Amino acid sequence: MRCLLKRQTLLAVLLGLALFLLPSLYPTDASIMTLSALAALNGIRMGTAVSFPALQQDERYRDVLAREFRQLTPENEMKFSRLHPEPERYDFDKADTLVNFADTHGIMVRGHTLVWHSQIPDWVKAARSRDAAIALLRNHIQTVVGHYRGQVMAWDVVNEAIADSGRLRDTVWLRQIGPDYIGMAFRWAHAADPNARLFYNDYGGEGLGRKSEAIYRLVSSLVEKDIPIDGVGLQMHLSLQNAPDASDVATNLQRLGELGLETHITEMDVRLALPASEQDRLAQADLFRTMLSTCIAADSCSNFTTWGFTDRYSWIPHRYKDFGAALLFDRDYQPKMAYAAMLEALDPET
Ligand code: G3I
């Protein structure tokens, strides 16, 4: 009898212990642990670029996207050549599919991008006069922003207009219209959807230096001229060799905020030489943690977006030979150290 009691007591203790430990090992409320849910507690919206083919064909891709992110940026489907391949023809089918997916899953959409020197069709380059170029760009912006009025919460209105030298980039828009094309684009976008947040977006200007000075000067002048710009997107495509200093990024986010502008991290990834070493993966995780913490700490920074989320569909290997492994999930959707580091930045208790 005593032996039976003892065994029952032991079982009860073990059961109690298991019930106590289980929730921490396997959280029953998975939403608490997602990037987005934790980010929201920090006042940050967590986003990712989305590949249309991946969304179409890969169920696991859709699941992880809907679970972890509350904002998406179409990686290619809203670019000029995709939406407006011929002067009189717009093609919204794929972009609409992305927007509908977002809507169904309570995900916001960041529109990317209205004015860029890349991925524009040849017919645009053939505009015969400044007036013709102005008319076609105005028509494009009014039609696209109008089509998504109320559905796209923020637009990258002008993308990468500044060269690494700090001067305005020599683009078809600059040559055809002159520097005023930037202000015009913001005004047309604002007229087409007064509630959309309008951004200037660029790479290589995250910290301090020639390019970030030039971006600061450009957006300051837009603000001064009362041009309807709401914020600056810092892309944050990094390698371990070119990462900006976190304190420089903090200073930059602060000075942009002091202009009354919002800041978003819009395209972060950290490419690694393949095969990626343990040391590099640790350094990568550290960069994701540091940049996210810097955004959280900055009053102006409200949005943190990575350029894709799984290494399965990243643009990096197509562009940089022998580089990859740049994102938060591996090719099989397993969270990497970088993912854990992001959770740590969002919840230092983890
Ligand atoms: O869709 C065609 C396909 O039909 C064709 O068979 C194939 C052959 O190469 O090309 C496909 O298009 C490619 C497209 O990605 C979709 O995969 C283009 O050639 C390729 O140039 C394009 O690259 C994109 C790049 O922008 C240039 O537009 C990348 O996916 C995209 O990640 C990248 O994103 C940019 C941001 O928009 C701005 N900031 C930098 C960032 C990285 O470069």
Side-chain angles (χ1 to χ4, degrees):
M1 180 71 177
R2 253 176 80 196
C3 176
L4 194 65
L5 265 180
K6 257 189 171 172
R7 199 179 304 150
Q8 278 176 343
T9 314
L10 187 67
L11 275 175
V13 169
L14 283 177
L15 188 65
L17 199 65
L19 284 175
F20 175 71
L21 284 177
L22 254 182
S24 56
L25 292 176
Y26 300 102
T28 45
D29 184 359
S31 66
I32 291 174
M33 295 298 287
T34 65
L35 286 176
S36 287
L38 284 174
L41 298 176
N42 287 273
I44 302 283
R45 184 174 299 281
M46 191 64 66
T48 177
V50 166
S51 148
F52 180 78
L55 190 82
Q56 287 286 89
Q57 66 199 327
D58 189 338
E59 191 181 348
R60 286 186 301 168
Y61 185 91
R62 292 192 291 274
D63 289 347
V64 177
L65 168 62
R67 188 184 76 215
E68 299 285 345
F69 299 96
R70 293 273 64 82
Q71 181 212 276
L72 66 79
T73 307
E75 185 174 357
N76 287 299
E77 266 58 39
M78 286 187 177
K79 290 175 180 171
F80 203 124
S81 59
R82 298 290 171 98
L83 288 182
H84 196 174
E86 292 167 31
E88 305 304 328
R89 184 166 73 85
Y90 284 87
D91 179 356
F92 289 110
D93 286 357
K94 290 181 177 169
D96 284 357
T97 303
L98 285 167
V99 171
N100 291 338
F101 177 90
D103 193 38
T104 309
H105 293 86
I107 293 174
M108 310 275 258
V109 179
R110 186 188 176 85
H112 176 85
T113 172
L114 298 169
V115 190
W116 193 26
H117 60 275
S118 180
Q119 285 186 294
I120 40 179
D122 287 343
W123 67 266
V124 166
K125 298 173 196 156
R128 292 211 176 143
S129 65
R130 179 171 189 263
D131 284 351
I134 289 175
L136 79 83
L137 185 57
R138 180 172 46 218
N139 178 285
H140 178 78
I141 291 176
Q142 284 171 343
T143 306
V144 172
V145 178
H147 182 83
Y148 291 114
R149 187 180 168 122
Q151 291 182 292
V152 166
M153 65 113 190
W155 279 102
D156 289 332
V157 177
V158 177
N159 194 44
E160 302 172 7
I162 294 174
D164 295 345
S165 65
R167 299 161 68 100
L168 280 185
R169 186 187 293 275
D170 180 18
T171 68
V172 64
W173 307 115
L174 185 68
R175 266 176 268 138
Q176 290 181 338
I177 302 177
D180 287 349
Y181 81 87
I182 298 175
M184 290 175 179
F186 278 92
R187 288 197 200 283
W188 295 326
H190 182 66
D193 185 353
N195 292 322
R197 311 285 293 164
L198 305 182
F199 280 71
Y200 175 76
N201 190 50
D202 214 327
Y203 68 87
E206 294 82 8
L208 298 175
R210 191 159 50 183
K211 188 146 180 188
S212 112
E213 284 304 315
I215 293 171
Y216 182 76
R217 275 200 308 276
L218 171 69
V219 298
S220 301
S221 79
L222 297 178
V223 169
E224 235 166 64
K225 290 182 216 153
D226 266 340
I227 285 168
I229 176 172
D230 296 295
V232 175
L234 302 173
Q235 294 186 6
M236 201 73 84
H237 290 289
L238 306 182
S239 71
L240 295 180
Q241 289 70 40
N242 77 352
D245 197 272
S247 67
D248 287 354
V249 176
T251 305
N252 198 23
L253 295 177
Q254 185 176 339
R255 69 176 175 169
L256 290 167
E258 283 164 5
L259 291 176
L261 297 173
E262 207 178 324
T263 57
H264 289 180
I265 305 303
T266 51
E267 307 187 11
M268 183 159 180
D269 51 23
V270 183
R271 59 185 177 273
L272 301 180
L274 297 177
S277 68
E278 173 86 0
Q279 195 187 357
D280 281 1
R281 286 186 288 123
L282 266 170
Q284 177 190 56
D286 208 44
L287 270 176
F288 273 105
R289 177 181 23 241
T290 307
M291 292 309 162
L292 179 53
S293 301
T294 305
C295 171
I296 293 169
D299 289 341
S300 68
C301 192
S302 53
N303 185 303
F304 196 95
T305 294
T306 54
W307 205 240
F309 56 92
T310 164
D311 294 337
R312 181 175 281 259
Y313 300 111
S314 163
W315 70 293
I316 295 288
H318 303 286
R319 171 72 167 71
Y320 297 95
K321 192 174 173 307
D322 300 329
F323 279 79
L327 294 166
L328 305 177
F329 293 84
D330 71 13
R331 298 178 58 83
D332 296 316
Y333 297 95
Q334 294 308 303
K336 295 159 52 176
M337 276 192 272
Y339 176 89
M342 295 269 283
L343 288 182
E344 269 169 42
L346 293 166
D347 179 7
E349 307 278 294
T350 54

